[in-house]
Amino acid sequence: MGSVSLNIGDGTAKFKRATVCSSAVNILMIFSVISTNLFALYAFTSSPKHQSHVLHNTHKNFSLISEHVSLILKEIDSSQKKLAKMEKELLGYETIDISRPNIANELKFFLQHHQLPLGKDSRTGITEMVASVGHSCEKSADLLSQYMTYKVSGPCPDDWSLGQKLILRGCEPLPRRRCFAKPVSKVGLSPFPISLWKPVSEKILTWSGIGCKNFECLNKKKLSRECVGCFDLANGYENQKYVKATSKSDFVIDDVLALASGGIRIGFDIAGGSGTFAARMAERNVTVVTNTLNIDAPFSEFIAARGLFPLYLSLDHRFPFYDNVFDLVHASSGLDMGGKPEKLEFLMFDIDRILRAGGLFWLDNFFCSDEEKKKTLTRLIERFGYKKLKWVVGDKVDTAGSGKSEIYLSAVLQKPARG
């Protein structure tokens, strides 16, 4: 009642709107005007001996009405403040308190509100610019302050892993900084498309904050179900993915592209490992953006070294793309958010948002830990009304080499044109 609060980063922009109270004030003001005019008319048409008495009563009544209006306006203002407080409590967080001790000066400066030079913007309705910072940063204020402690216009601390830790805690987006990132020499990058499959030099990657310090170490680890030896572009399984099927749940990329109506031009790969899916699509003149973080390996730099587009973003973040723009969205077991089913629902609705009508959603070897997991995912997919172009549930030998057979779901689904 009284205002609408729009939370932007850590700030709140208020937009006034008509409410029950504001309507009551308008009615009361109209009544006041009418009453005043009636009293004035009576005063002018009455006899002289009653004129002074009527004018006195008119002034007295007008003063009384003014007092009532003033009280109502004060009550509205108080209600607005109470509503703003309730909204913050319902959202479950308060804005970051920059007055607390041990907060870095750079963080204070970045979070300050800046008034628009010409006042209220007629297109957006906002009156000030506020910093774009994830609200969960409040829960990690000490780490955030540490991240924002540096020399202005100097070199940034070698703390990218600290920034990623904040992102994984929901502090996303991170605040901008006024320092220079550590330069890494990129000597020896190969031209495109040779870069897609030529081994990447270890010298052009950042190994700080990562347990392994070379590809040999990484390729011995199972970093994820999609990344077992995925940095070996010459001798491992990576150069066979999407062009050679090793089980019935593996789809060949050309077979999937043949199912598309209107063609495939741009795509989005969710948790795409070392970028091999994007590389195969690039060979077919399709541009693919690969979502990744540098968890235990320099994924982003490796993908970029292959001449591909890495997007450094967690799956908890709303995808920074407009609606209905992608022809294809590809995802595998990285889609599994864990925890409550609602987490996966939010993610699936965001995938649906960025995928155009008629576009393809390729679910590639999604690991089903049990039958209930498969049923839950199946029910969720069916809610969207996608057309099942391919749907395979099958066994697949664990790529980590344990020899154990696991259940995987693969599907190619076409988004319907909803009315």
Side-chain angles (χ1 to χ4, degrees):
M1 175 177 72
S3 71
V4 175
S5 294
L6 173 62
N7 291 311
I8 306 174
D10 75 314
T12 302
K14 293 189 176 181
F15 308 84
K16 294 185 178 179
R17 67 179 181 216
T19 63
V20 174
C21 283
S22 62
S23 299
V25 171
N26 290 335
I27 294 172
L28 189 58
M29 292 299 292
I30 292 171
F31 175 76
S32 174
V33 171
I34 294 173
S35 300
T36 303
N37 288 334
L38 288 175
F39 279 121
L41 179 62
Y42 177 75
F44 282 116
T45 56
S46 63
S47 60
K49 63 180 180 179
H50 297 296
Q51 206 168 45
S52 59
H53 177 70
V54 170
L55 289 173
H56 174 73
N57 288 338
T58 300
H59 178 72
K60 183 179 180 181
N61 290 334
F62 184 75
S63 299
L64 184 62
I65 291 173
S66 297
E67 289 177 9
H68 281 299
V69 170
S70 179
L71 289 173
I72 291 173
L73 291 175
K74 288 181 180 179
E75 188 66 30
I76 291 173
D77 183 63
S78 175
S79 298
Q80 288 176 339
K81 292 178 180 178
K82 289 179 181 179
L83 179 61
K85 184 179 179 181
M86 289 171 60
E87 286 176 339
K88 289 182 179 181
E89 291 174 353
L90 288 172
L91 288 170
Y93 70 93
E94 294 285 342
T95 55
I96 298 175
D97 181 10
I98 61 176
S99 66
R100 67 168 64 177
N102 302 322
I103 290 291
N105 288 331
E106 277 293 279
L107 181 59
K108 293 179 181 179
F109 188 79
F110 181 79
L111 294 178
Q112 284 179 355
H113 298 188
H114 300 281
Q115 297 294 325
L116 295 181
L118 301 179
K120 183 176 180 180
D121 183 78
S122 59
R123 292 174 299 171
T124 62
I126 63 175
T127 58
E128 59 185 9
M129 296 300 296
V130 294
S132 180
V133 181
H135 75 263
S136 290
C137 292
E138 167 67 16
K139 300 176 182 177
S140 305
D142 292 338
L143 282 180
L144 183 64
S145 186
Q146 180 183 340
Y147 178 75
M148 292 298 288
T149 300
Y150 55 86
K151 182 180 179 181
V152 176
S153 298
C156 293
D158 187 9
D159 60 355
W160 72 265
S161 56
L162 172 61
Q164 182 168 273
K165 182 184 292 185
L166 284 165
I167 289 174
L168 293 172
R169 291 186 177 192
C171 182
E172 189 177 32
L174 289 170
R176 288 173 171 163
R177 303 201 290 187
R178 297 188 294 171
C179 58
F180 295 102
K182 180 182 178 180
V184 178
S185 177
K186 301 293 182 180
V187 177
L189 290 175
S190 301
F192 188 87
I194 298 173
S195 60
L196 293 175
W197 297 104
K198 187 173 181 179
V200 175
S201 170
E202 295 176 350
K203 296 180 180 180
I204 68 172
L205 306 179
T206 302
W207 296 95
S208 63
I210 297 174
C212 287
K213 304 301 179 183
N214 54 58
F215 290 137
E216 183 181 0
C217 173
L218 289 178
N219 287 324
K220 290 179 180 179
K221 288 189 173 184
K222 182 180 180 180
L223 298 174
S224 67
R225 293 187 178 276
E226 291 71 45
C227 186
V228 179
C230 68
F231 291 94
D232 186 353
L233 303 181
N235 305 312
Y237 172 66
E238 203 70 8
N239 60 11
Q240 301 178 34
K241 289 176 72 173
Y242 310 113
V243 294
K244 181 180 179 180
T246 59
S247 69
K248 67 177 184 179
S249 60
D250 290 338
F251 297 159
V252 176
I253 204 165
D254 289 328
D255 294 341
V256 174
L257 293 179
L259 300 173
S261 60
I264 300 295
R265 303 153 302 160
I266 55 174
F268 183 43
D269 188 17
I270 297 175
S274 60
T276 293
F277 178 78
R280 288 299 184 195
M281 296 296 278
E283 293 174 331
R284 291 153 177 81
N285 297 317
V286 177
T287 301
V288 170
V289 177
T290 304
N291 153 250
T292 186
L293 288 174
N294 288 354
I295 299 178
D296 298 326
F299 287 106
S300 294
E301 288 179 289
F302 189 86
I303 292 170
R306 298 179 74 177
L308 303 168
F309 188 165
L311 180 66
Y312 194 70
L313 192 75
S314 80
L315 293 185
D316 286 315
H317 196 294
R318 185 179 191 266
F319 296 134
F321 306 114
Y322 193 64
D323 303 352
N324 308 298
V325 294
F326 285 106
D327 303 311
L328 171 73
V329 175
H330 174 264
S332 51
S333 293
L335 192 71
D336 189 2
M337 301 289 287
K340 295 182 179 180
E342 291 80 7
K343 293 277 286 183
L344 181 57
E345 283 188 35
F346 276 109
L347 178 57
M348 282 295 299
F349 273 96
D350 209 24
I351 290 173
D352 180 81
R353 178 184 63 81
I354 63 174
L355 184 63
R356 69 166 173 84
L360 301 183
F361 173 47
W362 181 351
L363 185 62
D364 185 11
N365 284 292
F366 183 90
F367 174 64
C368 302
S369 55
D370 51 41
E371 185 66 20
E372 184 59 33
K373 185 80 172 180
K374 179 174 71 70
K375 289 181 179 179
T376 300
L377 180 62
T378 301
R379 286 194 295 266
L380 175 58
I381 290 174
E382 289 175 345
R383 285 173 56 186
F384 290 86
Y386 283 26
K387 182 179 180 180
K388 295 179 180 179
L389 303 179
K390 293 176 75 74
W391 184 278
V392 174
V393 179
D395 297 340
K396 187 177 181 181
V397 176
D398 180 19
T399 53
S402 67
K404 181 181 177 181
S405 180
E406 300 175 327
I407 304 298
Y408 288 84
L409 168 63
S410 289
V412 178
L413 310 164
Q414 187 172 45
K415 180 179 175 178
R418 303 186 184 99

